[in-house]
Amino acid sequence: TACLAVLPLAGYMGEATEHLAHKTGPTIGGLLNATFGNAAELIIALAALRAGLVDLVKASITGSILGNLLLILGLSLLAGGLGRPELRFNRTTAGMSAAMLALAVVGLVFPALFHAAHPEHAARLDELHMSEWVAAILIATYACSLLFTLRTHRRLFGGEPHPLAGPVWGTGKAVLILALATFGVAVESEILVHATEAVTESLGLGQVFLGLVIVPLIGNA
């Protein structure tokens, strides 16, 4: 029931960001969608981390990457291609996203290679420090991409706003609904995480399966 309750709340979050994007333009709208589109997974991961369910968090990160790269991208290309002979993309956006994706892959691979090359316990501290530096670099890269998109090269990311069916919400109403929906997702995430141990014991499902399949499906729904 906690999983099902997240779905309409995430729907409200998506609708609110669409209305805000209509007011702010496609560039900031895309940023809002990218940020709050992952909010449900992030909140669930933070709640699980607080509860000490580390395996669930690690699996949910992997599942989120696979879900966004395969499920969401595939469905987007399929939906975009229906009834259209071709799709056109902003070359600057695609190039920047591809470069950031390549950097993220490298950031995930290097600690894994270090772990495989030095499995002894004495090297774990160095591995931890490397992972922390990689995380800091990835966050800094994301911040630089925001600066590039929203400030220095904003003219390259222009586009027409997405048309909305029905009346457009005011900014205050959209922000209020977004805040309430985010709070609701946080509450349901706490319930979901606390039910995880009972589910794994009664149904025989491991934390890895829940994190790899169930949590990403909720977040991407």
Side-chain angles (χ1 to χ4, degrees):
T1 56
C3 290
L4 294 176
V6 170
L7 298 181
L9 291 171
Y12 278 116
M13 291 174 67
E15 192 170 357
T17 53
E18 285 288 334
H19 285 270
L20 285 174
H22 188 81
K23 295 278 188 180
T24 59
T27 302
I28 298 180
L31 172 63
L32 290 173
N33 275 317
T35 303
F36 286 95
N38 292 308
E41 294 166 274
L42 179 61
I43 293 171
I44 292 173
L46 290 175
L49 200 59
R50 274 181 20 190
L53 304 176
V54 180
D55 288 338
L56 177 65
V57 177
K58 291 192 292 186
S60 68
I61 292 173
T62 306
S64 177
I65 294 172
L66 294 175
N68 280 290
L69 287 181
L70 301 178
L71 176 64
I72 300 304
L73 177 61
L75 289 176
S76 299
L77 293 175
L78 178 63
L82 291 175
R84 297 181 180 88
E86 63 179 11
L87 290 174
R88 294 184 177 273
F89 298 90
N90 185 311
R91 180 178 296 180
T92 306
T93 304
M96 184 186 72
S97 299
M100 292 178 63
L101 179 60
L103 181 62
V105 170
V106 172
L108 290 173
V109 166
F110 267 105
L113 290 176
F114 185 86
H115 179 80
H118 303 280
E120 62 273 10
H121 182 73
R124 292 298 168 84
L125 188 59
D126 293 332
E127 181 182 338
L128 176 62
H129 289 160
M130 177 186 287
S131 298
E132 290 172 345
W133 274 104
V134 167
I137 291 172
L138 292 180
I139 293 173
T141 303
Y142 180 68
C144 290
S145 73
L146 296 183
L147 180 65
F148 179 79
T149 304
L150 302 177
R151 187 77 178 173
T152 60
H153 293 74
R154 187 172 183 175
R155 67 188 183 280
L156 300 177
F157 295 87
E160 295 297 324
H162 183 71
L164 292 174
V168 179
W169 295 350
T171 303
K173 178 181 178 181
V175 170
L176 178 62
I177 291 177
L178 183 60
L180 292 175
T182 304
F183 176 76
V185 169
V187 173
E188 294 298 333
S189 298
E190 287 284 348
I191 299 174
L192 172 64
V193 167
H194 288 304
T196 299
E197 293 183 4
V199 168
T200 55
E201 292 176 3
S202 59
L203 298 181
L205 299 176
Q207 291 185 23
V208 174
F209 175 80
L210 292 175
L212 200 61
V213 178
I214 304 299
V215 173
L217 281 179
I218 298 168
N220 288 324

